[in-house]
Amino acid sequence: MKPELPPGEDAHGDRQFATTLQRGLQVLACFSAAAPILTNKEIAERTGLPRPTVSRLTYTLTLLGYLQHHPHIGKYGKYELGNAVLSLAHPLLANIAVRQVARLPMKELADHAHGWVSLGIRERLNMVYIETARSTRSRSVRPDIGQTFPIVVSAMGRAHLAALPVREREELINQLQVKTPDLWATYADRVEQGLQDYIERGFCVGRGDYDPNTHTVAVPLRRPGTNQVMVFNCAVRVDDLAPGALDNDLGPRLAQMVRAIESALDME
């Protein structure tokens, strides 16, 4: 999938817009857990950029440490993200106070649920984990910081939508409809149900949306005076989930946990 500009950003007609920087960031955005190592040809296909342009960008990003080149893999070598990328993420994560406040209650809920509890934020049309806690009894699935997934395909993403003011929500839904029409057609009904669930119960539910063997509840956190919505979810493998636990136990517990974190943050 070709990396998109962040919503509201358009290079057309903007003399202040740095196109070369945009292209370099597009190159970095091509890499993922599913595609950690790429050739220049693969990067060109994902970005839509000419291969000579990609070659210059990957050369420069390698010199700066944002990419690592493996010349002996394949015919022309391959690239993966370099250590310098970590230095960009650390200041952001270190200054999100909710991560420090939330770690203990997240672990306690994960142990109670025999699953995992994660904190995520929106990144363009995806949600990305910025903190996660796992029960020692959770099996096979190992969510981690930096993991991303489409907004509409998860209870976390739908909880994010539910927390937005009406106008912001409508704008984001319009982007989802235009830029990911197939996903929207598949999950539109679940988005509507998620919005209703949040109104009625204070949490959104996902039953096998992203993984058919995993059920999830999600609750947003939005502090007064900020524009950023953060979302907590609690996920459990179906085999470890007691009947009715998602709606009657884990959903209310997660909502209570988020309200307690909000109170703790307000006291700082």
Side-chain angles (χ1 to χ4, degrees), residues 122-127 149-151 172 175-176 179-180:
R122 175 188 165 198
E123 197 282 314
R124 289 177 288 183
L125 301 184
N126 297 302
M127 300 300 294
F149 41 87
I151 287 174
L172 179 52
Q175 293 178 43
L176 294 167
K179 296 181 179 180
T180 57

Side-chain angles (χ1 to χ4, degrees), residues 21-22 32 36 40 72 89 93 120 173-174 176 194 199 238 259 264:
L21 175 59
Q22 174 213 348
S32 67
N40 278 336
H72 304 299
L93 295 176
I173 286 176
N174 182 63
L176 294 167
I199 291 172
V238 173
R259 300 292 85 83

Side-chain angles (χ1 to χ4, degrees), residues 103 105-119 129 131-145 147 149 154 156 206 208 210-218 231-241 246 250 254 257:
R103 279 178 180 146
M106 287 173 67
K107 182 62 167 64
E108 290 174 344
L109 181 55
D111 287 339
H112 170 80
H114 300 158
W116 56 96
V117 177
S118 300
L119 171 63
Y129 285 158
E131 189 68 39
T132 190
R134 311 175 189 88
S135 165
T136 54
R137 290 187 52 180
S138 63
R139 299 176 295 173
S140 66
V141 177
R142 291 291 183 269
D144 208 348
I145 294 173
Q147 181 177 337
F149 41 87
S154 67
M156 177 176 276
Y210 197 67
D211 176 354
N213 297 311
T214 302
H215 287 183
T216 311
V217 288
V231 184
F232 290 88
N233 73 3
C234 177
V236 184
R237 301 290 288 178
V238 173
D239 292 344
D240 295 327
L241 192 62
L246 206 66
L250 300 183
L254 181 64
M257 184 196 83

Side-chain angles (χ1 to χ4, degrees), residues 195-206:
L195 298 178
Q196 191 63 34
D197 285 343
Y198 182 67
I199 291 172
E200 294 177 355
R201 300 192 284 177
F203 57 88
C204 297
V205 179

Side-chain angles (χ1 to χ4, degrees), residues 31-32 34-39 42 46 70 73 77-81:
F31 296 86
S32 67
I37 302 179
L38 299 171
T39 64
E42 291 168 332
R46 285 164 167 76
H70 299 288
I73 300 179
K78 294 190 176 185
Y79 295 87
E80 67 176 338
L81 293 178

Side-chain angles (χ1 to χ4, degrees), residues 209-230:
D209 293 328
Y210 197 67
D211 176 354
N213 297 311
T214 302
H215 287 183
T216 311
V217 288
V219 176
L221 180 151
R222 184 167 190 166
R223 298 186 67 191
T226 69
N227 293 322
Q228 188 174 55
V229 174
M230 301 181 183

